[in-house]
Amino acid sequence: MPAKRIGIKDIAEATHVSPGTVHRALNGKAGVGEDTRKLILDTAKAMGYQPNINASLLKRKPLRIAGAFPAYTENNRYYYPYVWQGFRECMADMVDYNIETVEIPYYTGQGVGSQRNELLNLWEQQRGELDGLITIGHMAQKDYSILKKFTDEGIPVVLACDDVPSSPRLCCVQADHIMTGRMVAELLSAQIPGDSQVLICAGDVDVQSHYQTVQGFESFVKEEGLNWELVKVYGNDNDTEKVYQRIMGLLEEMPQIRAAYSVNARNSQVLCQAVKELGRNGRMRVVTSDIFPENIQNLKDGICTNIAYKNPRQQAYLAAKILLEYLMKRQKPLEEVVYVNSEIVFRSNVHVYE
Amino acid sequence: MPAKRIGIKDIAEATHVSPGTVHRALNGKAGVGEDTRKLILDTAKAMGYQPNINASLLKRKPLRIAGAFPAYTENNRYYYPYVWQGFRECMADMVDYNIETVEIPYYTGQGVGSQRNELLNLWEQQRGELDGLITIGHMAQKDYSILKKFTDEGIPVVLACDDVPSSPRLCCVQADHIMTGRMVAELLSAQIPGDSQVLICAGDVDVQSHYQTVQGFESFVKEEGLNWELVKVYGNDNDTEKVYQRIMGLLEEMPQIRAAYSVNARNSQVLCQAVKELGRNGRMRVVTSDIFPENIQNLKDGICTNIAYKNPRQQAYLAAKILLEYLMKRQKPLEEVVYVNSEIVFRSNVHVYE
DNA sequence: CTGAAAGCGCTTACAG
DNA sequence: CTGAAAGCGCTTACAG
């Protein structure tokens, strides 16, 4: 039989104060003497107190959680709808926990509607009623300080997808980009000869996730002693036309290219269009990134041969879950950086991801 | 603002009975007139009543859930430890829901300690206090009736890993074996020539999961028009020595074999031993099944080149979760058969599964 | 800074 | 078969 679980009342008796005071001390509310608070905290720990969150749910006002992610227009629609989905799914799974959601879509860029401005607005208007924030750690150096405004106010912040290591975030939930790049190299290494040319759509060097994925790919190639000739095409989401022309040129110039890999979503679509246009599908291995409707179709049609999936849905889901666990039970995550597994998707199981 | 959530008291007022009676009616407890019950159920539905499970948790006695799975001795240690793990993890995640766990390990076979006997014992001794049962649907025809004994008593049953379609189980959570077999064939189809010989360690024809996995593999080969020559070795967990000898013989006879696939865990280990013994690693593709310490090592050592992972941990986790959702909210799963996704594991990410 | 009291929405005896 | 009351372990005003 489990030992009787100890409650707020037990601590109250042990410390000769009222249950109300114990509650205030344990939850960091104002209005408890410094000595009393310490005594209560210590005895609570000594007695192994675990709050009964169900009881607390019954009467307390809702926890208000804000999720701030890019609005999914234009190039953001390849990735961020799944981040929103993961966030919303977690919130829906947790309805029983008396939670209110605030959704803050922002535009990636500067000025009105930017992440910086939207977060500033949120802080100014709602900091009093806000209990936690989840956002993406992909921001300019000068914007890091915004996160600190929230944590200074006692509002914990969890980052998803991209980290800001120097910030006071509770943790970051992200993909292991290096591992993902290695995995794709490993996959291709069994499919093409050792002297192949391989086209890498390497995205934007300044974006950490792109850079690290390429790095992982290259480190595998190097460690295994493969003699592949890697041809890299850089280019961010704003020069897709240029990237398209460059890929077309390379594919035509180099009929020996036996494999291609795009490390980001937008260029995956560009790569597939080029492969299709030149009728190269079926004659080379093409690995793309991320699940989105066009890419699912690419795989079904055999334009690409596999998808490397970094699971943004699960990243956001887990980020939200970790934040709520912290708010409800004061349980910090074990690691500051939590990695979500990446998977290789095949035509045979792509339907599972629809 | 969310509309005021309606509660047991609102229904009581609407139907002019006491809250106690509403509670009895909604939860199928004895002691409510047939007419009153129907009226209450109907108005509850009409008013869109959703029980507040947190309030109910506070006072009700714990839900008692039994998990009956093979004890992980001998050949069961390759698979079932992960089933137990998933079950226990779910129960641990749900501590806040006031749940008691009963663990029933059984021996796979007949007589004392068999699944049949252990479930009969459970039914005789605890049916009064038991609220739900999770077990494996891998049983002899004549034992199906045991499941009915539980459901007749109002104790819902969820199956994991293997289904008994004709039984009154709430649902079954399992892998999609056909898809898994197809995925492995797809993986290999990009790695070996069209005229290759492929060795299949096909397990036991009478075990549905083995049979279906092989079937999936073959259907992909056929649909893609591959000219592979498939060489199948059958044999269950009791004749591993015979299987080992047979594999050794085939590998020696046929140096053209370019790939091998074992559809079950035990024979994966046997296959890897043979491949290693003959020094064939690195010279053929070897796909094995399931994550267990020896197999993780096989992949790290390059004895096998990939692992097809059916995720028994998640199967059991999900089975337990579905059962609890049903018990706490009367929410039935959307499908009678819930499929868990299978993954292909690479050397680059096998550490994630440790 | 601290306490006493009410109440969150259910479940559980108990009384009739 | 039905109702009235107590209580689960917290949180929240309110009073001092």
Side-chain angles (χ1 to χ4, degrees):
Chain A
M1 281 295 89
K4 180 191 168 298
R5 190 162 162 173
I6 79 129
I8 214 176
K9 230 166 72 186
D10 302 304
I11 301 173
E13 277 168 22
T15 53
H16 306 292
V17 297
S18 72
T21 302
V22 175
H23 166 244
R24 284 184 284 259
L26 290 173
N27 294 282
K29 308 265 174 190
V32 194
E34 209 37 69
D35 307 350
T36 336
R37 164 162 277 139
K38 190 172 176 342
L39 173 65
I40 292 171
L41 254 35
D42 289 347
T43 32
K45 186 170 243 177
M47 296 175 74
Y49 172 72
Q50 290 289 107
N52 181 328
I53 59 173
N54 302 296
S56 59
L57 257 45
L58 225 41
K59 186 111 179 98
R60 74 149 158 69
K61 50 189 172 200
L63 288 177
R64 180 171 292 200
I65 310 295
F69 311 110
Y72 37 97
T73 54
E74 306 183 27
N75 285 326
N76 285 333
R77 77 185 173 81
Y78 295 99
Y79 195 79
Y80 289 105
Y82 305 94
V83 172
W84 281 104
Q85 192 191 354
F87 172 68
R88 287 173 182 151
E89 266 177 32
C90 185
M91 291 306 169
D93 278 1
M94 300 278 173
V95 273
D96 291 326
Y97 290 101
N98 194 11
I99 289 161
E100 266 178 31
T101 305
V102 182
E103 299 197 351
I104 318 272
Y106 60 82
Y107 292 92
T108 46
Q110 306 295 315
V112 179
S114 69
Q115 184 182 25
R116 179 194 171 79
N117 285 349
E118 290 295 321
L119 288 182
L120 277 175
N121 277 345
L122 178 70
W123 185 73
E124 274 160 21
Q125 288 166 23
Q126 302 209 19
R127 66 181 136 147
E129 299 90 64
L130 198 64
D131 297 291
L133 169 67
I134 304 166
T135 190
I136 309 278
H138 180 45
M139 48 179 69
Q141 189 89 37
K142 67 175 169 57
D143 295 338
Y144 290 4
S145 59
I146 298 179
L147 301 181
K148 195 157 155 26
K149 290 201 179 200
F150 285 91
T151 55
D152 281 351
E153 203 84 7
I155 302 170
V157 175
V158 171
L159 298 176
C161 305
D162 286 283
D163 198 10
V164 179
S166 54
S167 71
R169 82 274 186 273
L170 186 62
C171 79
C172 173
V173 182
Q174 59 169 60
D176 187 336
H177 304 297
I178 292 184
M179 186 203 76
T180 311
R182 292 183 64 89
M183 221 158 90
V184 173
E186 183 184 344
L187 171 71
L188 290 175
S189 72
Q191 302 181 335
I192 58 174
D195 60 349
S196 300
Q197 291 176 322
V198 179
L199 175 67
I200 310 281
C201 301
D204 190 334
V205 212
D206 295 330
V207 175
Q208 202 192 23
S209 65
H210 301 181
Y211 174 75
Q212 288 187 343
T213 309
V214 174
Q215 208 188 354
F217 189 97
E218 287 182 318
S219 67
F220 183 91
V221 171
K222 195 173 163 199
E223 285 168 29
E224 295 294 307
L226 301 172
N227 283 319
W228 291 348
E229 182 188 340
L230 303 185
V231 185
K232 279 181 265 185
V233 176
Y234 289 97
N236 62 38
D237 288 356
N238 300 321
D239 14 74
T240 53
E241 185 54 32
K242 236 167 59 189
V243 172
Y244 178 73
Q245 294 304 339
R246 184 102 178 81
I247 294 174
M248 287 290 279
L250 285 170
L251 285 176
E252 284 183 307
E253 270 171 44
M254 314 200 298
Q256 264 67 269
I257 288 183
R258 293 211 182 78
Y261 173 32
S262 167
V263 304
N264 69 338
R266 184 65 189 93
N267 287 344
S268 292
Q269 183 56 14
V270 174
L271 171 63
C272 284
Q273 279 165 347
V275 167
K276 195 176 169 186
E277 177 67 26
L278 296 175
R280 291 289 278 274
N281 39 311
R283 300 199 290 134
M284 59 186 284
R285 308 300 300 178
V286 178
V287 180
T288 56
S289 287
D290 296 316
I291 295 285
F292 51 93
E294 295 93 329
N295 213 20
I296 288 179
Q297 198 57 47
N298 288 333
L299 184 52
K300 284 186 175 172
D301 293 344
I303 310 295
C304 66
T305 50
N306 286 105
I307 295 173
Y309 181 48
K310 289 181 178 173
N311 223 329
R313 209 196 108 273
Q314 208 199 329
Q315 288 174 42
Y317 188 99
L318 203 52
K321 195 164 174 201
I322 286 173
L323 180 60
L324 290 175
E325 294 255 300
Y326 177 72
L327 287 171
M328 295 194 293
K329 311 190 204 173
R330 296 287 140 184
Q331 267 174 20
K332 286 196 186 186
L334 294 174
E335 308 283 343
E336 284 203 347
V337 179
V338 177
Y339 290 108
V340 162
N341 194 20
S342 298
E343 296 168 30
I344 301 292
V345 181
F346 292 79
R347 183 155 52 90
S348 300
N349 75 332
V350 67
H351 61 270
V352 174
Y353 298 87
E354 282 180 302
Chain B
M1 277 297 90
K4 181 193 167 300
R5 189 161 162 174
I6 78 127
I8 213 177
K9 228 165 74 185
D10 302 303
I11 301 172
E13 278 168 22
T15 53
H16 306 290
V17 297
S18 71
T21 302
V22 175
H23 167 245
R24 283 184 285 261
L26 290 173
N27 294 281
K29 308 267 175 189
V32 194
E34 210 36 68
D35 308 350
T36 336
R37 164 161 275 139
K38 189 172 177 338
L39 173 65
I40 292 171
L41 254 33
D42 289 346
T43 34
K45 185 170 245 175
M47 297 174 74
Y49 171 71
Q50 291 288 107
N52 180 328
I53 60 173
N54 302 296
S56 60
L57 256 45
L58 226 41
K59 187 117 179 91
R60 75 152 158 68
K61 51 189 171 198
L63 289 176
R64 179 171 292 199
I65 310 293
F69 311 110
Y72 37 98
T73 53
E74 305 182 26
N75 285 326
N76 284 333
R77 78 186 173 81
Y78 295 98
Y79 195 79
Y80 289 105
Y82 305 94
V83 172
W84 280 104
Q85 192 192 351
F87 172 68
R88 287 173 182 150
E89 266 177 32
C90 184
M91 291 307 169
D93 278 1
M94 300 279 173
V95 273
D96 291 326
Y97 290 101
N98 195 9
I99 288 160
E100 265 177 30
T101 305
V102 182
E103 300 196 349
I104 318 273
Y106 59 81
Y107 292 91
T108 45
Q110 308 294 314
V112 179
S114 69
Q115 184 182 26
R116 178 192 173 79
N117 284 349
E118 290 295 320
L119 289 181
L120 277 175
N121 277 345
L122 179 70
W123 186 74
E124 275 160 20
Q125 289 166 23
Q126 302 210 20
R127 65 179 137 148
E129 298 91 66
L130 199 64
D131 297 291
L133 170 67
I134 303 166
T135 189
I136 308 278
H138 179 48
M139 47 180 68
Q141 190 88 38
K142 69 177 169 53
D143 295 338
Y144 290 4
S145 58
I146 296 179
L147 301 179
K148 196 158 155 26
K149 288 200 180 202
F150 285 91
T151 55
D152 281 351
E153 203 83 9
I155 302 169
V157 174
V158 170
L159 298 177
C161 305
D162 287 283
D163 197 10
V164 180
S166 55
S167 72
R169 81 276 185 273
L170 186 63
C171 79
C172 174
V173 182
Q174 59 169 64
D176 187 336
H177 304 297
I178 291 182
M179 187 204 74
T180 311
R182 292 184 65 90
M183 221 158 90
V184 172
E186 183 183 343
L187 171 71
L188 289 175
S189 72
Q191 303 181 334
I192 58 174
D195 60 349
S196 299
Q197 290 177 320
V198 178
L199 175 66
I200 310 281
C201 301
D204 191 334
V205 212
D206 295 329
V207 175
Q208 203 193 22
S209 65
H210 302 181
Y211 175 76
Q212 288 187 343
T213 309
V214 174
Q215 209 188 354
F217 189 97
E218 287 182 318
S219 68
F220 183 91
V221 172
K222 195 174 163 196
E223 284 167 29
E224 295 294 308
L226 301 173
N227 283 320
W228 291 348
E229 181 189 339
L230 303 185
V231 186
K232 279 180 264 185
V233 176
Y234 290 97
N236 62 37
D237 287 357
N238 301 321
D239 16 74
T240 52
E241 185 53 31
K242 238 167 59 190
V243 171
Y244 178 72
Q245 293 304 340
R246 184 104 176 80
I247 294 174
M248 287 291 278
L250 285 169
L251 285 177
E252 284 184 306
E253 269 171 45
M254 317 201 297
Q256 264 66 270
I257 289 184
R258 291 209 182 79
Y261 173 33
S262 166
V263 304
N264 69 338
R266 186 65 190 93
N267 286 345
S268 292
Q269 183 57 13
V270 174
L271 171 63
C272 284
Q273 279 165 344
V275 167
K276 194 176 171 188
E277 176 69 25
L278 296 175
R280 291 289 277 274
N281 38 312
R283 301 198 288 135
M284 58 186 284
R285 308 301 300 178
V286 178
V287 180
T288 56
S289 289
D290 297 316
I291 295 283
F292 51 94
E294 294 93 330
N295 212 20
I296 288 179
Q297 199 56 46
N298 288 332
L299 184 53
K300 285 186 173 172
D301 293 344
I303 310 294
C304 65
T305 50
N306 286 104
I307 295 173
Y309 181 48
K310 291 182 178 173
N311 222 331
R313 210 196 106 274
Q314 208 199 330
Q315 289 175 41
Y317 188 99
L318 203 53
K321 194 162 176 202
I322 286 173
L323 180 61
L324 290 175
E325 295 256 300
Y326 177 71
L327 287 171
M328 295 194 293
K329 311 191 205 172
R330 296 288 140 183
Q331 265 174 20
K332 287 196 187 188
L334 294 174
E335 307 283 342
E336 284 203 347
V337 178
V338 176
Y339 290 107
V340 162
N341 193 19
S342 297
E343 298 168 28
I344 301 291
V345 181
F346 292 78
R347 183 154 54 88
S348 299
N349 74 332
V350 66
H351 61 270
V352 173
Y353 298 87
E354 282 180 300

